[in-house]
Amino acid sequence: MKTIIIIIYFSVALLINFSATAQIHESIINPYWDFYSLNYQPVENAGKGYTGEASEGNIMSGLLNPASVSFEKKYQAYLEYDVKNSLPWTQILSSDVKMKQIQPAFAAGFGFRLGKDFHAGVIIRNERNWMLDFGRTRSYPGMEYYDNYETYTVNTLTVPVAWHYKAFDFGVNLNLMLLHSRLAYYIPEIQNPVFDESTNNIKFVPDIGIRVTPVKDFSLGATFTPGFEQELERKYPTLPAPYKTVAYFPWKLGAGAEARFLNDKLKISGEYRFEHTSVYDGSGSMLNYKFKDRHNVRFGAEFSPDEKFTLRGGFFTLLDMRPEGNPEIRDGSLSQYNVTAGFSYRLNDVKFSFACVNAISKQVEVMCVSFGAVYDF
């Protein structure tokens, strides 16, 4: 049964290549899969509803707003590891198909202060990853087993730079992204049964951020990430010419606020995030992706009863980008309502953190657990 399913899926992908001249939207390197592919880094922000637009934080907080990066001492080192559950994927093919995380999923960073007002660093992280596991196929006559799967990862090298001037903070992330996807199948029913093809592309994309503190206990923040498109190419063994698609990463805009109480012991944040995902109009897509723009909200709080211990909690949405009436939504909405919790404990110059993000969803219940440590010296 699995072999039949894979043949159908593979054949559809090939047939699309024979459509006229329509631009084919990439179905694997695609924001459609964000409900599983995203790794919610950093761990401290994940614990408080994945907020951070208006907060001040460590080197990794710059992933949410580069203007927020601020170090207590001259140097800082950071390490994080992320784990999430596997789940059956019933939307497209069969309940036998599994969606899995690709390990390792981690982030590491090093930051330093240049004088009083400049804070910078370097981060390497696994921003997105997933695998669709179609199971194993047995060959004949050797009776060997082959794994069948599709993968998608985004590994990013980020250089955050922040400048602090009185009540204003400005920042930029210089992101160098490696987009990787691999398709591996063994289909004994076709002429060339072994198929294993990868695509690798490098793209530079900046993030721009600002943070303003008009009064001592209140801050505002905003970020912008420009969109980009990338042409991808895969060589199928049954076709004379490469199979080409276009992947889009839509432009993003975020804005938020943070209020602080009890001498900064209690911090409450609220944010709005927009992504121009309607750039996918559905043309030429194998799965008929016709997206609407993404509008999401985030809320979070953290409480520090003393200098060593911090508790966090929050909530954020990741709503389905497919419009109502889309034929693919008949199998259930992909919208997620994420409840988060976390804590940190400081031991001398090292702060250890834990966070859990639990998606409440009818269709895709994903739990992400993160562990991290930051060392100031």
Side-chain angles (χ1 to χ4, degrees):
M1 183 63 185
K2 285 184 179 180
T3 302
I4 296 173
I5 291 168
I6 294 170
I7 293 170
I8 295 172
Y9 185 80
F10 190 64
S11 299
V12 170
L14 296 182
L15 287 173
I16 292 172
N17 194 59
F18 294 106
S19 63
T21 58
Q23 187 181 62
I24 300 173
H25 289 179
E26 171 67 26
S27 297
I28 298 175
I29 299 179
N30 188 308
Y32 174 83
W33 305 101
D34 282 358
F35 63 84
Y36 188 85
S37 67
L38 284 172
N39 295 321
Y40 297 114
Q41 302 164 339
V43 57
E44 292 183 31
N45 299 80
K48 57 175 185 175
Y50 207 38
T51 58
E53 286 282 349
S55 303
E56 188 177 69
N58 58 43
I59 181 67
M60 288 288 291
S61 69
L63 300 182
L64 298 179
N65 186 346
S68 70
V69 174
S70 181
F71 309 132
E72 296 179 3
K73 297 187 177 181
K74 188 170 183 178
Y75 301 106
Q76 185 179 88
Y78 184 96
L79 184 63
E80 174 178 334
Y81 203 86
D82 311 290
V83 180
K84 67 182 72 170
N85 63 295
S86 301
L87 52 92
W89 183 239
T90 59
Q91 289 289 113
I92 307 169
L93 301 175
S94 163
S95 59
D96 293 332
V97 180
K98 304 293 183 183
M99 185 170 287
K100 298 180 178 180
Q101 185 182 33
I102 303 171
Q103 296 295 343
F106 75 100
F110 178 78
F112 52 91
R113 206 168 56 189
L114 299 173
K116 180 181 177 181
D117 299 323
F118 285 92
H119 300 245
V122 60
I123 301 167
I124 183 170
R125 57 191 169 112
N126 182 238
E127 183 179 347
R128 285 178 168 90
N129 73 57
W130 64 255
M131 170 191 286
L132 277 179
D133 184 359
F134 296 93
R136 311 187 80 189
T137 302
R138 186 169 56 185
S139 67
Y140 296 93
M143 303 294 285
E144 296 181 22
Y145 283 90
Y146 292 83
D147 294 319
N148 302 280
Y149 56 86
E150 297 176 356
T151 65
Y152 163 37
T153 60
V154 178
N155 295 307
T156 305
L157 177 68
T158 298
V159 177
V161 180
W163 176 49
H164 305 290
Y165 178 73
K166 296 183 179 179
F168 298 91
D169 305 318
F170 305 92
V172 60
N173 285 334
L174 306 176
N175 300 304
L176 191 64
M177 306 169 64
L178 171 62
L179 312 176
H180 170 76
S181 176
R182 182 180 180 185
L183 292 80
Y185 307 102
Y186 180 83
I187 309 174
E189 286 82 357
I190 65 176
Q191 183 177 1
N192 299 306
V194 178
F195 173 75
D196 190 343
E197 186 58 47
S198 299
T199 181
N200 294 284
N201 295 269
I202 294 176
K203 196 72 177 179
F204 171 75
V205 181
D207 303 315
I208 303 168
I210 184 172
R211 181 173 177 267
V212 182
T213 306
V215 294
K216 178 184 176 182
D217 298 322
F218 183 75
S219 298
L220 298 169
T223 55
F224 174 74
T225 303
F228 70 92
E229 63 180 74
Q230 180 72 47
E231 184 178 81
L232 307 176
E233 182 177 290
R234 295 185 177 90
K235 295 180 180 179
Y236 286 107
T238 55
L239 294 178
Y243 175 71
K244 295 183 179 181
T245 60
V246 176
Y248 294 95
F249 278 68
W251 63 268
K252 305 174 186 178
L253 180 67
E258 180 186 77
R260 297 174 288 276
F261 307 92
L262 305 176
N263 293 323
D264 288 354
K265 290 185 176 181
L266 175 63
K267 301 176 182 179
I268 299 176
S269 302
E271 297 177 5
Y272 164 74
R273 296 272 178 159
F274 171 84
E275 293 182 48
H276 184 50
T277 46
S278 62
V279 67
Y280 279 86
D281 60 11
S283 63
S285 172
M286 178 171 62
L287 298 173
N288 191 29
Y289 295 124
K290 185 175 178 62
F291 294 158
K292 59 184 178 181
D293 288 331
R294 176 188 276 174
H295 303 267
N296 287 298
V297 294
R298 303 176 182 180
F299 301 97
E302 65 177 29
F303 177 65
S304 303
D306 55 45
E307 294 182 355
K308 292 187 175 182
F309 190 62
T310 302
L311 285 171
R312 301 183 181 92
F315 168 85
F316 70 94
T317 63
L318 188 60
L319 301 180
D320 199 336
M321 297 175 290
R322 300 170 301 171
E324 296 295 333
N326 189 304
E328 298 236 350
I329 213 167
R330 65 183 182 274
D331 293 325
S333 173
L334 299 177
S335 292
Q336 293 173 319
Y337 302 88
N338 296 274
V339 178
T340 74
F343 67 87
S344 292
Y345 182 78
R346 181 181 291 277
L347 184 62
N348 297 323
D349 292 327
V350 181
K351 182 164 65 172
F352 300 93
S353 298
F354 167 85
C356 178
V357 177
N358 186 29
I360 301 172
S361 170
K362 292 181 179 180
Q363 191 66 26
V364 280
E365 295 183 353
V366 182
M367 178 178 287
C368 304
V369 177
S370 303
F371 307 87
V374 58
Y375 173 46
D376 292 288
F377 59 102

